[in-house]
Amino acid sequence: GAGVSQTPSNKVTEKGKYVELRCDPISGHTALYWYRQSLGQGPEFLIYFQGTGAADDSGLPNDRFFAVRPEGSVSTLKIQRTERGDSAVYLCASSLNSRYEQYFGPGTRLTVT
Amino acid sequence: QKEVEQDPGPLSVPEGAIVSLNCTYSNSAFQYFMWYRQYSRKGPELLMYTYSSGNKEDGRFTAQVDKSSKYISLFIRDSQPSDSATYLCAMSAITNAGKSTFGDGTTLTVKP
C-alpha cells in the first residue's frame, strides 16, 4: 500500500515568511509524528498526534511552530516568521497507534534564505 | 550530554563482513528500542523494533538490548554494498511511547 507522503519535497523561502508543510499518513494509522533533522544529526522530535489531538508537543521549539490534524488524517506543520535556523529536513511518520512502529515519509527539505 | 549517544563513524567494511553498531543511553525509562536505516536524502526506514531486554533476529539483522548496561546493538551478518547507509538507533519510554529519541547515526560503507 501507499506509504507516508509529504509535500512539498523541497521548499525555499525567505527569512520572515510563513510556510506550511503537509503530511499524508498511511491509511488507518491513528498516530502521526513530526520530526526535524539537521545535517549530520538524528531526527529531533517535535510533536505527535493521537487522532486529532496533540498528545505531546514538547518538542516544538517555540511559538512560531504549530501543527494541526483536524480530521485525524492529514497533518500540516506551520512555521511563522521563518528564520535561517529553521532550515532542515522536516520528517513525518505515522503508526497504527503510539505503541507501534513508526513509518517515515521522505521528508520536506526547508531552506530559509 | 545527549540522552542517546551513537558513534558517528564512519565505518567501512569489506563485503561479507559482520558489522556491529551500538548506542548507549542514559534514560532508564526507555523500554522500546528501534533501529532505522537511512539512505541519503531519504526518510528513515525501520529495521528492527524491540521491547525491553533481549535479542531479536530478522534475516541478516540481530538486535540486542542490555538494559542493565543501557546499551543496545545491531549486528549485520554477510554485509552487502546495499547496506551502505546511515544507521540510527531510537528509543522511547513506555509512558510516552510516541516520543522517540534518536541517536545521531553511524555512517556505514560496505565495499565490494
Side-chain angles (χ1 to χ4, degrees), chain B:
Chain B
Q1 187 180 1
K2 291 188 173 185
E3 279 190 298
V4 179
E5 298 280 357
Q6 188 172 6
D7 185 341
L11 184 61
S12 181
V13 301
E15 183 174 355
I18 296 174
V19 176
S20 172
L21 304 165
N22 312 292
C23 287
T24 59
Y25 63 95
S26 57
N27 188 344
S28 57
F30 288 147
Q31 294 270 17
Y32 296 102
F33 302 94
M34 290 74 72
W35 285 96
Y36 290 85
R37 177 173 62 195
Q38 188 174 27
Y39 294 113
S40 180
R41 292 186 170 261
K42 301 288 186 182
E45 170 194 0
L46 182 67
L47 288 175
M48 300 288 281
Y49 181 87
T50 56
Y51 170 70
S52 197
S53 285
N55 294 358
K56 183 174 181 179
E57 188 174 322
D58 185 0
R60 297 185 296 112
F61 299 92
T62 299
Q64 288 186 351
V65 175
D66 182 349
K67 291 192 67 185
S68 63
S69 301
K70 296 189 178 68
Y71 187 87
I72 69 170
S73 300
L74 178 71
F75 297 95
I76 307 173
R77 291 182 297 281
D78 187 25
S79 56
Q80 303 295 309
S82 59
D83 295 328
S84 298
T86 296
Y87 289 80
L88 298 156
C89 64
M91 42 200 82
S92 62
I94 198 168
T95 53
N96 193 3
K99 181 179 180 179
S100 292
T101 302
F102 280 78
D104 285 337
T106 299
T107 300
L108 171 68
T109 301
V110 181
K111 296 186 175 181

Side-chain angles (χ1 to χ4, degrees), chain A residues 11-49:
Chain A
K11 177 71 176 179
V12 180
T13 191
E14 292 179 350
K15 179 176 178 295
K17 298 289 189 184
Y18 168 83
V19 296
E20 289 190 351
L21 311 179
R22 176 187 167 107
C23 174
D24 281 84
I26 293 171
S27 178
H29 281 192
T30 63
L32 183 146
Y33 314 81
W34 286 99
Y35 293 84
R36 177 169 70 173
Q37 188 173 25
S38 299
L39 191 63
Q41 296 185 11
E44 172 194 12
F45 173 83
L46 296 176
I47 183 172
Y48 91 88
F49 292 87

Side-chain angles (χ1 to χ4, degrees), chain A residues 80-107:
Chain A
Q80 298 177 326
R81 304 184 304 281
T82 52
E83 300 177 357
R84 291 193 182 87
D86 298 334
S87 296
V89 176
Y90 288 80
L91 295 164
C92 176
S94 71
S95 63
L96 278 173
N97 65 44
S98 64
R99 293 181 183 269
Y100 285 80
E101 302 92 308
Q102 298 181 21
Y103 295 89
F104 281 81

Side-chain angles (χ1 to χ4, degrees), chain A residues 6 10 16 20-21 23 26 39 54 64 69 73 109 111-112:
Chain A
Q6 293 185 246
N10 283 283
E20 289 190 351
L21 311 179
C23 174
I26 293 171
L39 191 63
R64 295 187 299 106
R69 195 186 185 200
S73 178
R109 185 173 299 273
T111 303
V112 182

